[in-house]
Amino acid sequence: MARQAKPGKPKGSSGRSYRGHAGLTMRPRNMRSRKSSSNRWIERQLNDPYVQETHKRGLRSRAAIKLEQIEDKFPFLRPHMRVVDLGCAPGGWLQIASQKIHLNKNKGAALVGIDLLETDPIGGAEIIVGDITEPEMIEKVHHAIEGRADVVMSDMAAATTGHRATDHLRTMGLLELALDFAIEVLSEDGTFLAKAFRGGAEKSLMDRLNLHFEKVRHIKPPASRAESVETYILATGFKPLPPQESDQE
Ligand SMILES: C[S@@+](CC[C@H](N)C(=O)[O-])C[C@H]1O[C@@H](n2cnc3c(N)ncnc32)[C@H](O)[C@@H]1O
């Protein structure tokens, strides 16, 4: 599928070197027969050090490295925590979280992943196939972790349309759903991590985040491509609101 160019030697029928900017060395074969956008995607994958690291370490997704980088900078996953991962397939975040919370040693640790798609099992984790908005989903999570969660994280993404405004709205819609979910299941002082788009959250969403959390940060981990509008929101110190009078009636 791919070949490695020898340094310093011109390659390809054009005689041009395949070594491009940033030390790129690999190019897909049959370039002319493919559309240029898919060529660019394949070329980027072949030369992406994080894709290579993903394969080398047996991680299920490149996204796993993003979580690890966010966590390295602002550690929030600790042994024996109860963690919920929204949009967990194929399971890269679950792999990282299960190590950080010492899931295999148990001692109170719990990990639940939810996705529309099937996810291969992760030892000790409960995986639920379904939409996070299904009415019984919150109850299922409470049941699985036997109480409230220390961390709710969401890497949920909708299939992109290529239409910027639509994609932005969809991602921010999922962020809002993830926040609703987190408010229902987090325990006091809990942490919420979620994928967002650059430009961050809308003011109303930021207001809700600030109301419910002590600290809200926007983070762009190095593995999140610079040209991508993707960013992450890390909100710590969950403050459950006292029930409203109307809720008590
Ligand atoms: C970028 S992937 C997650 C990758 C994952 N963090 C990993 O490391 O393997 C986004 C996932 O969100 C899921 N998703 C999108 N909307 C969802 C919803 N309403 N309920 C559950 N999962 C959803 C998609 O099915 C998709 O698998």
Side-chain angles (χ1 to χ4, degrees):
M1 174 73 185
R3 62 188 163 200
Q4 180 85 40
K6 288 192 186 132
K9 288 198 173 176
K11 293 282 171 262
S13 54
S14 68
R16 278 193 306 158
S17 171
Y18 284 162
R19 183 179 285 274
H21 60 88
L24 299 186
T25 55
M26 315 262 283
R27 280 228 168 166
R29 286 180 180 168
N30 307 323
M31 291 195 74
R32 286 202 185 126
S33 59
R34 287 204 186 93
K35 283 187 184 149
S36 66
S37 65
S38 62
N39 268 332
R40 274 198 303 275
W41 185 86
I42 295 168
E43 190 175 355
R44 198 174 63 179
Q45 290 292 106
L46 290 172
N47 293 292
D48 183 331
Y50 297 117
V51 172
Q52 289 160 15
E53 185 182 338
T54 301
H55 292 311
K56 213 161 135 189
R57 292 174 55 195
L59 295 170
R60 294 187 189 175
S61 68
R62 190 180 175 286
I65 297 171
K66 297 181 205 170
L67 175 62
E68 206 171 48
Q69 291 173 343
I70 294 169
E71 222 282 324
D72 279 351
K73 193 157 183 200
F74 300 105
F76 62 90
L77 291 169
R78 285 187 294 282
H80 322 314
M81 278 186 156
R82 289 159 301 169
V83 177
V84 181
D85 182 9
L86 308 177
C88 65
W93 280 28
L94 290 176
Q95 287 177 298
I96 301 297
S98 90
Q99 289 165 13
K100 299 266 180 193
I101 65 173
H102 296 183
L103 186 64
N104 52 355
K105 297 182 191 147
N106 208 320
K107 291 196 181 146
L111 182 58
V112 182
I114 307 171
D115 204 292
L116 300 166
L117 308 174
E118 300 267 351
T119 304
D120 285 344
I122 295 260
E126 168 120 9
I127 293 171
I128 303 172
V129 180
D131 191 314
I132 67 143
T133 60
E134 286 169 22
E136 68 278 16
M137 203 53 96
I138 287 175
E139 207 37 59
K140 282 186 186 170
V141 167
H142 282 310
H143 182 73
I145 60 175
E146 295 175 18
R148 303 186 77 84
D150 300 301
V151 175
V152 171
M153 46 191 202
S154 163
D155 196 24
M156 283 192 297
T160 47
T161 62
H163 185 260
R164 235 171 148 171
T166 306
D167 292 340
H168 184 102
L169 279 173
R170 284 186 175 183
T171 300
M172 299 316 277
L174 287 173
L175 168 58
E176 189 127 28
L177 291 174
L179 176 60
D180 292 341
F181 200 99
I183 289 169
E184 292 292 328
V185 305
L186 273 180
S187 57
E188 190 164 355
D189 210 30
T191 297
F192 174 61
L193 170 71
K195 189 203 287 289
F197 266 6
R198 196 156 45 217
E202 309 293 333
K203 187 178 176 310
S204 62
L205 192 55
M206 266 325 277
D207 288 346
R208 283 186 74 208
L209 284 160
N210 286 323
L211 179 70
H212 285 283
F213 294 90
E214 293 283 347
K215 179 120 193 120
V216 180
R217 296 181 174 91
H218 285 81
I219 305 170
K220 175 97 176 156
S224 178
R225 295 189 170 96
E227 69 274 20
S228 158
V229 288
E230 172 191 82
T231 176
Y232 288 87
I233 287 176
L234 179 65
T236 49
F238 178 62
K239 302 176 279 187
L241 295 182
Q244 301 284 310
E245 270 174 36
S246 55
D247 293 344
Q248 293 170 338
E249 281 162 12

